[in-house]
Amino acid sequence: MSQPFDPLILASSSPRRRELLEMAGIPFEIIVEPIDETPRAGESPSQLVARLSVAKARIVAERLPDRWVLGADTVVVVDGEVFGKPLDDEDAVRMLRLLQGREHTVTTGFSLVRKDIEHQIMKVCHTVVRMAPAVDSRIRRYVSTGEPRDKAGAYAIQGAGLQFIAEIHGSYSNVVGLPLDEVVAAWEGVGGGFIG
């Protein structure tokens, strides 16, 4: 049986999620296994992120059954359309054009899984974000920086993408990629400890 202070396993290569856990003082290691992230027919955004967060955590937990594994998935939703990471720069421009001057919802699912005791916590969190209108030249200038390429919805609120944000209702860290207040509460709830 592992000790209470075994580091959490983060089943994500996202630098933003890593930075958020570091800020919270949670000791962790990163182990990522690839999964098929294709949405299923009729699956809602909440169902999608919930399923993928569990799948990402469970595949790593199979290798490390006596450790807690954190999986997460984030999407941006506007008018029922799910925006994941853009396929290329033109797709990023398309997404940002559609988001301008409107509200969208950032939906993140996260799961804490431990295989040896068959315990799982899964939560889905939503943040509503309103973007200000922006001219096309500003969108293209932003996309040319490369920042949107690996971001759901093609923008980074913690980076230069903040220039487009007019209002936010809910968890800021959720928009970055992890609802930190919820994750820390869940980690503490399963006996996770802090070092230092």
Side-chain angles (χ1 to χ4, degrees), residues 6-192:
D6 274 350
L8 176 68
I9 304 295
L10 174 62
S12 172
S13 57
S14 163
R16 278 80 54 196
R17 293 186 180 126
R18 182 186 69 231
E19 289 164 6
L20 287 167
L21 289 181
E22 286 171 350
M23 283 192 298
I26 298 177
F28 67 96
E29 301 166 6
I30 297 173
I31 300 175
V32 182
E33 293 282 349
I35 65 162
D36 180 3
E37 299 189 31
T38 307
R40 294 175 179 168
E43 194 171 40
S44 73
S46 292
Q47 291 169 331
L48 172 66
V49 297
R51 177 176 61 83
L52 293 181
S53 74
V54 170
K56 290 174 182 181
R58 282 208 164 273
I59 194 169
V60 174
E62 290 291 334
R63 287 176 46 191
L64 297 159
D66 64 342
R67 300 284 294 278
W68 285 102
V69 181
L70 174 66
D73 194 73
T74 301
V75 295
V76 166
V77 185
V78 61
D79 288 344
E81 184 179 356
V82 174
F83 290 175
K85 298 172 184 177
L87 301 173
D88 53 30
D89 285 357
E90 281 307 308
D91 194 35
V93 169
R94 177 189 72 84
M95 288 182 183
L96 289 167
R97 282 175 177 160
L98 288 170
L99 295 175
Q100 295 311 302
R102 317 172 61 184
E103 283 190 348
H104 62 271
T105 302
V106 178
T107 299
T108 299
F110 76 88
S111 297
L112 269 176
V113 172
R114 185 160 154 169
K115 178 72 175 163
D116 63 348
I117 58 174
E118 289 299 329
H119 193 75
Q120 172 181 302
I121 296 169
M122 192 283 301
K123 292 194 173 185
V124 175
C125 300
H126 308 277
T127 304
V128 176
V129 179
R130 185 172 67 80
M131 280 196 175
V135 296
D136 209 55
S137 59
R138 177 148 64 119
I139 292 172
R140 289 195 171 276
R141 187 166 58 247
Y142 173 61
V143 170
S144 73
T145 67
E147 185 178 86
R149 289 183 188 144
D150 65 341
K151 313 294 189 302
Y155 73 93
I157 196 170
Q158 76 281 11
L162 183 61
Q163 66 184 291
F164 299 109
I165 306 304
E167 288 180 51
I168 176 169
H169 302 278
S171 168
Y172 167 84
S173 67
N174 185 48
V175 185
V176 178
L178 208 56
L180 201 54
D181 55 338
E182 299 269 6
V183 170
V184 171
W187 178 234
E188 289 174 335
V190 299

